[in-house]
Amino acid sequence: MSEPKREIHLAGFMIAGPVVHSHALWRHPLTTRPFTDPRLYVEVAQTLENGLFDFLFFADRLGVSSQLNGGRDLSFRYGAQDAARLDPLPIVSFLAAATTRLGLGVTRSTTYYQPNHIVRSFTTLDHLTAGRGAWNVVTSMNDSEGRIFGHAQHMEHDQRYDRADEFMEVAFKLWRSWDPDALVQDKATGIFADPARIRSVAHHGAFFDVEGPMNMPPGPTGHPVIIQAGSSGRGRRFGARWAEAIFTINRTIEEARAFRDDVRRQAVAYGRAPDSSRILTAIMPFIGRTEAEAIAKRDEHNALARPELGIATLSSQLNFDFGPFALETEISRLADDPALPDAVREKLRTTGEPGMTLGALGQIWASSVRVPQLAGTGAQIAATMAAWFEAGACDGFVISPAYLPGSFTEFVAEIVPELQHLGLYRTRYTGQTLREHLGLPAVAAAQR
Ligand SMILES: Cc1cc2nc3c(=O)[nH]c(=O)nc-3n(C[C@H](O)[C@H](O)[C@H](O)COP(=O)(O)O)c2cc1C
């Protein structure tokens, strides 16, 4: 039997706030609605469903960072990535009723929630959507997120992942505590559920003491699709063990292929198939009738993104205050400074070009948080995507918008037909659940 043809998978990337990776998004002239208007999310979801996307995804952060210069004024004044966010979980529950096939993914943190929060919310979403839900598992980023939950500091990096591993073990014990056929609901006999098919959970570990079972029947797919986006060695190991979809940001095909090869290798070390997760790399398209028009669109967009907002987001993401350093400072000098935390130096080393200043890095962060910006005609961008995909650099793409909902509307109108023409993208949905869209087994092998 011949191998099924590999097809590009697509996700739309959103934050339910003023800014996504583009810090110009909320003020861009083509953004038509504020982030508080529910119609924005309906328009985005229905556009992506028309474009046969696998899923729409919402990132999340839990507090307003005060990293930059120890304050929040700049973030609030200009609208940083952290300045305001709606909770995406109610939003996707709302979108469940406005869509029929589109997968719906949401970030939730293992550091500040309990397994039962996740299990209850995402099992409910699984029922509401008939199997279209996904959970992006993160460990959160900074002290502000810790403080709003009553902790003086954010937990240390590797310890967060140790907690996350145990969190997943508990969550899966709860998800598995009901057999799929435990709910009987036989009106004639009066039998509601079969207690023999519902098992008690008693988990006592380093981070969690949890007794179960869960208090609802499992959804049609048993548990949400598990997404992850770790980039450190520890984060990648976690993703290799648990994830069914992985987000990544890479500047070049070579960098992306090395990442994908590494994750596939590590999955095997956990006894999983190398292709047990779909690796989606982020891009921000600017589409024009000509390449020159697209480049002008990109440049106009980037001129609206303030470098100091990029520095605010970088400070928030790395939990480190870049405020004391002048924008003219070369980042290689910071990367060599032993007074800076190792993780910050490592990020600067792997991020900057030679001679790049902090201000230039801030401009890149404000424009796209280093998500590659692709400017061209629909055919040109589709050809670039095809080249990445066919080189084994990714299994698909997560599309980050520069303005809303236009970036997605244009993508669906101009790029989707080109990808279909190349034979690399579906022409209709053939499945109902998100796992079916992603071409993954109905029950993931991830959670042993
Ligand atoms: C595309 C993408 C989306 C992400 N979404 C979130 C998010 O919603 N919330 C969050 O706290 N972290 C998010 N992250 C951060 C990752 O979870 C992770 O912490 C980061 O890549 C650093 O890797 P590490 O945790 O292995 O050090 C995202 C990362 C990427 C690349």
Side-chain angles (χ1 to χ4, degrees):
M1 222 171 69
S2 64
E3 286 273 302
K5 189 170 158 27
R6 261 182 97 219
E7 285 190 340
I8 287 179
H9 295 282
L10 291 179
F13 195 103
M14 285 285 285
I15 290 173
V19 166
V20 183
H21 293 108
S22 156
H23 289 62
L25 187 135
W26 71 268
R27 64 185 295 226
H28 195 286
L30 294 176
T31 290
T32 55
R33 297 182 191 281
F35 72 95
T36 46
D37 184 340
R39 289 171 295 179
L40 174 69
Y41 303 110
V42 173
E43 283 171 8
V44 165
Q46 292 180 342
T47 301
L48 298 184
E49 191 163 78
N50 286 337
L52 307 172
F53 271 50
D54 292 65
F55 64 105
L56 164 60
F57 163 74
F58 287 88
D60 202 14
R61 208 88 59 75
L62 300 168
V64 184
S65 175
S66 58
Q67 269 302 339
L68 191 65
N69 296 315
R72 303 186 174 91
D73 287 2
L74 185 133
S75 293
F76 284 135
R77 181 167 301 117
Y78 298 123
Q81 206 186 40
D82 275 351
R85 290 178 183 220
L86 305 186
D87 183 341
L89 197 54
I91 294 179
V92 295
S93 307
F94 175 74
L95 295 179
T99 52
T100 59
R101 295 296 183 97
L102 185 70
L104 298 164
V106 169
T107 290
R108 276 288 192 259
S109 169
T110 53
T111 304
Y112 298 113
Y113 291 84
Q114 289 289 322
N116 197 38
H117 289 131
I118 301 298
V119 165
R120 300 192 76 239
S121 297
F122 284 87
T123 303
T124 304
L125 187 64
D126 200 14
H127 284 292
L128 292 181
T129 60
R132 296 188 281 135
W135 168 32
N136 180 35
V137 186
V138 303
T139 66
S140 297
M141 291 183 169
N142 61 47
D143 291 338
S144 302
E145 294 178 282
R147 288 198 202 108
I148 203 163
F149 282 95
H151 304 274
Q153 278 181 329
H154 193 35
M155 193 185 277
E156 190 273 325
H157 182 271
D158 285 10
Q159 202 187 15
R160 293 202 307 270
Y161 276 107
D162 292 345
R163 177 183 157 103
D165 268 325
E166 192 181 326
F167 191 114
M168 300 302 283
E169 289 165 16
V170 177
F172 277 100
K173 283 180 187 174
L174 292 170
W175 271 316
R176 296 222 174 99
S177 59
W178 288 55
D179 286 345
D181 55 359
L183 192 65
V184 178
Q185 295 198 105
D186 186 332
K187 288 184 179 174
T189 58
I191 302 295
F192 172 69
D194 180 354
R197 294 180 194 166
I198 303 170
R199 282 165 298 282
S200 293
V201 169
H203 175 97
H204 302 288
F207 296 93
F208 298 101
D209 285 297
V210 171
E211 301 201 356
M214 107 175 134
N215 71 343
M216 62 181 78
T221 61
H223 63 83
V225 169
I226 304 295
I227 307 174
Q228 222 277 320
S231 57
S232 65
R234 183 67 183 91
R236 286 186 196 196
R237 273 210 311 284
F238 180 86
R241 179 175 177 194
W242 299 103
E244 299 173 85
I246 292 181
F247 292 145
T248 171
I249 298 175
N250 295 115
R251 282 173 297 180
T252 62
I253 288 195
E254 293 71 34
E255 194 180 287
R257 192 164 48 198
F259 177 86
R260 181 166 177 267
D261 288 349
D262 182 47
V263 171
R264 288 165 66 89
R265 234 186 341 262
Q266 295 208 38
V268 173
Y270 280 107
R272 303 178 70 197
D275 63 350
S276 47
S277 59
R278 300 281 168 259
I279 296 168
L280 308 179
T281 194
I283 55 170
M284 184 184 289
F286 291 88
I287 309 165
R289 279 166 300 181
T290 63
E291 189 177 356
E293 187 182 273
I295 289 171
K297 252 167 124 169
R298 181 198 64 197
D299 293 348
E300 284 159 20
H301 165 272
N302 291 353
L304 293 172
R306 292 175 190 269
E308 60 270 45
L309 277 186
I311 303 283
T313 290
L314 193 60
S315 290
S316 158
Q317 289 180 338
L318 297 183
N319 202 25
F320 177 76
D321 185 1
F322 284 99
F325 304 105
L327 292 182
E328 297 72 37
T329 313
E330 285 202 15
I331 59 173
S332 56
R333 193 170 77 62
L334 297 177
D336 290 339
D337 184 346
L340 268 61
D342 287 348
V344 173
R345 295 170 60 195
E346 176 63 17
K347 186 77 179 177
L348 293 174
R349 240 193 312 276
T350 53
T351 295
E353 314 291 339
M356 183 181 274
T357 62
L358 190 58
L361 186 66
Q363 181 62 52
I364 291 174
W365 235 256
S367 300
S368 73
V369 191
R370 212 188 71 151
V371 169
Q373 296 184 319
L374 302 185
T377 63
Q380 284 174 322
I381 295 175
T384 303
M385 294 170 70
W388 279 57
F389 177 71
E390 284 170 345
C394 62
D395 300 303
F397 297 86
V398 52
I399 310 303
S400 187
Y403 42 87
L404 287 170
S407 287
F408 290 130
T409 321
E410 292 169 19
F411 188 97
V412 169
E414 305 295 335
I415 297 182
V416 163
E418 298 288 346
L419 295 174
Q420 289 168 330
H421 181 68
L422 295 171
L424 292 176
Y425 190 61
R426 64 172 65 93
T427 51
R428 65 186 177 87
Y429 285 114
T430 52
Q432 168 62 43
T433 68
L434 177 53
R435 246 180 226 107
E436 286 166 347
H437 301 338
L438 290 168
L440 293 168
V443 176
Q447 322 77 26
R448 290 185 238 287

